[in-house]
Amino acid sequence: MNAFASGEGRAPFALLGCLLSLAIVAPAQAFGDVKGLSKMGYGKTKDGEAVELYTLQNGKTTVKIATYGATVVSIEVPDKNGHVADVTLGFDSLDGYLGEHPYFGATVGRVANRIAKGKFSLDGKDYTLAVNNPPNTLHGGKKGFNRVVWKAEPVESPDGPAVKMTYTSRDGEEGYPGTLTASVTFTVTANDELKIAYAATTDKATPLNLSNHTYFNLSGKGDATILDHELTLAASNYTPVDDTLIPTGEIVTVSGTPLDFTKPTAIGDRIAKLTGEPGGYDHNLVLDARAGAKATVYDPKSGRVLEMSTTEPGVQFYSGNFLDGTVVGRGGQVYRKHFGLCLEAQHFPDSIHHANFPDSVLRPGRTYTQTTTYKFSTR
Ligand code: BGC
């Protein structure tokens, strides 16, 4: 549902949108001072908490973000012929996000990716987490940051319409130490970028790894695999894993492996060479320390290009291997294996158990920051 209300020339559309949405959700509300930003009611959680949906519009790009899970619900961008479509996987309404799904669009935390056996020690103390991805903990545990309602406030930014979402995770929540206050600011710039800026502070040392779990399918339909998308990664190394997807601790060259995307390569070209079940890419790539995009995805059919840049040391490249047709998404679309890809900028998986990986512990008095940008264009 469209909810444009701010920005010149949009009033008739806003009126139409409001009339259409009256019966289902509260009408959109514009923020007078923040051009390109509007919000509307998006329903309630099962506990009765109200959820809002923000719309950020700038350049040729429109992004919708829900306060439930600080979730990117949609990203609408044109193809090479100017046809605008959503390049993410997701649902038509909040109900879909409240149900079982593999983190579509969500902000993941307190610790994105896996922690081996759901246990860690920090400063001499042992901690136990929920084993929600046996035998490991995945994406923050049973009720991660993707399953809570974030508080939202509009932000005035010279870069474009922005919304800041904040969540305070209590000491001991999901087994993690310390009260952690996290914020995620989403901005859509005039250069068709979705900029995601994270910040967090804590009152006790805690492992922390925030990421965004948007599934992209640049076709704009989400009705076929992403195997024909070409991927380039500024990553000369990766972290090999055991058969439960926990890193062995080694940092190894991608050269001569199907993980070598240092030159543009179709995702499907070498995917069959990967062993293990269910097959496909689900690997942390170690990003090279050089300027520019760290990942580029190009869909030859639509001409859409996605470039990701990040301040993080790694990216989990996940080719939607566990999508098995059980999730029915937007417009009734059944999401099958490889129908979407994720580029999860992050610290390396299970860093808490590997002293040779970049440190992922946040300590009191320090502020965690991360900026990851997804830029859209056509070729
Ligand atoms: C993980 C996958 C997992 C997916 C959805 C990715 O970040 O690496 O193994 O299946 O998230 O949960």
Side-chain angles (χ1 to χ4, degrees):
M1 192 162 323
N2 283 324
F4 299 121
S6 51
E8 287 143 89
R10 297 194 188 282
F13 296 103
L15 187 63
L16 186 65
C18 290
L19 289 175
L20 287 173
S21 60
L22 264 181
I24 315 162
V25 285
Q29 175 192 333
F31 297 100
D33 296 341
V34 185
K35 190 168 176 258
L37 184 70
S38 63
K39 74 164 177 177
M40 61 196 282
Y42 198 44
K44 285 189 174 162
T45 65
K46 285 172 185 132
D47 299 331
E49 266 188 283
V51 177
E52 293 168 335
L53 184 69
Y54 281 76
T55 301
L56 290 74
Q57 199 282 319
N58 204 355
K60 299 177 190 132
T61 302
T62 305
V63 176
K64 290 189 199 296
I65 298 159
T67 53
Y68 182 71
T71 298
V72 174
V73 164
S74 62
I75 303 176
E76 291 174 281
V77 287
D79 67 8
K80 62 183 172 192
N81 299 316
H83 175 71
V84 175
D86 185 359
V87 293
T88 70
L89 304 191
F91 300 103
D92 287 324
S93 70
L94 178 62
D95 269 358
Y97 293 96
L98 296 178
E100 283 302 312
H101 69 91
Y103 304 86
F104 287 145
T107 295
V108 278
R110 190 180 290 202
V111 177
N113 218 307
R114 290 175 174 81
I115 292 184
K117 309 273 190 320
K119 286 188 191 307
F120 67 92
S121 301
L122 184 56
D123 298 339
K125 264 191 151 178
D126 296 336
Y127 296 92
T128 302
L129 311 168
V131 173
N132 61 326
N133 186 244
N136 306 312
T137 299
L138 177 67
H139 295 331
K142 267 197 191 135
K143 188 177 179 185
F145 289 6
N146 59 304
R147 290 271 172 207
V148 299
V149 178
W150 295 60
K151 210 179 256 166
E153 54 182 302
V155 175
E156 283 194 54
S157 157
D159 296 338
V163 59
K164 179 180 181 181
M165 302 211 177
T166 309
Y167 176 66
T168 300
S169 167
R170 65 176 169 75
D171 188 7
E173 188 173 309
E174 285 294 327
Y176 292 102
T179 304
L180 180 96
T181 302
S183 72
V184 190
T185 303
F186 299 91
T187 309
V188 176
T189 75
N191 297 326
D192 297 300
E193 297 158 318
L194 169 61
K195 189 166 104 182
I196 309 180
Y198 305 77
T201 53
T202 184
D203 62 3
K204 281 184 197 158
T206 178
L208 179 68
N209 193 21
L210 300 177
S211 192
N212 180 272
H213 211 294
T214 296
Y215 288 69
F216 296 99
N217 186 321
L218 297 185
S219 74
K221 299 191 207 94
D223 65 349
T225 74
I226 45 71
L227 297 179
D228 59 349
H229 289 27
E230 285 173 19
L231 176 66
T232 316
L233 292 172
S236 310
N237 295 286
Y238 77 108
T239 53
V241 288
D242 66 15
D243 56 10
T244 74
L245 297 176
I246 293 294
T248 59
E250 301 153 284
I251 294 177
V252 168
T253 177
V254 294
S255 176
T257 79
L259 285 154
D260 187 350
F261 284 96
T262 51
K263 296 200 177 64
T265 310
I267 291 168
D269 268 11
R270 300 158 306 177
I271 202 165
K273 295 199 171 127
L274 295 163
T275 53
E277 282 301 317
Y281 293 96
D282 198 355
H283 297 78
N284 173 60
L285 281 296
V286 179
L287 295 171
D288 297 339
R290 61 175 142 106
K294 302 287 181 172
T296 304
V297 187
Y298 168 59
D299 170 26
K301 282 198 194 112
S302 69
R304 290 193 181 92
V305 180
L306 161 63
E307 288 165 279
M308 187 202 75
S309 38
T310 184
T311 54
E312 287 298 279
V315 65
Q316 184 83 9
F317 166 44
Y318 173 55
S319 56
N321 315 329
F322 290 100
L323 296 173
D324 60 2
T326 51
V327 178
V328 181
R330 199 163 282 140
Q333 179 63 54
V334 173
Y335 293 138
R336 301 188 193 284
K337 192 173 181 183
H338 307 315
F339 272 31
L341 70 95
C342 302
L343 291 166
E344 302 155 61
Q346 57 183 229
H347 271 56
F348 303 173
D350 200 31
S351 288
I352 193 75
H353 292 125
H354 297 284
N356 60 324
F357 288 178
D359 188 13
S360 68
V361 173
L362 178 68
R363 294 188 178 274
R366 306 293 299 259
T367 300
Y368 164 98
T369 58
Q370 177 203 152
T371 304
T372 297
T373 301
Y374 298 98
K375 178 176 165 52
F376 299 91
S377 59
T378 55
R379 227 191 251 170

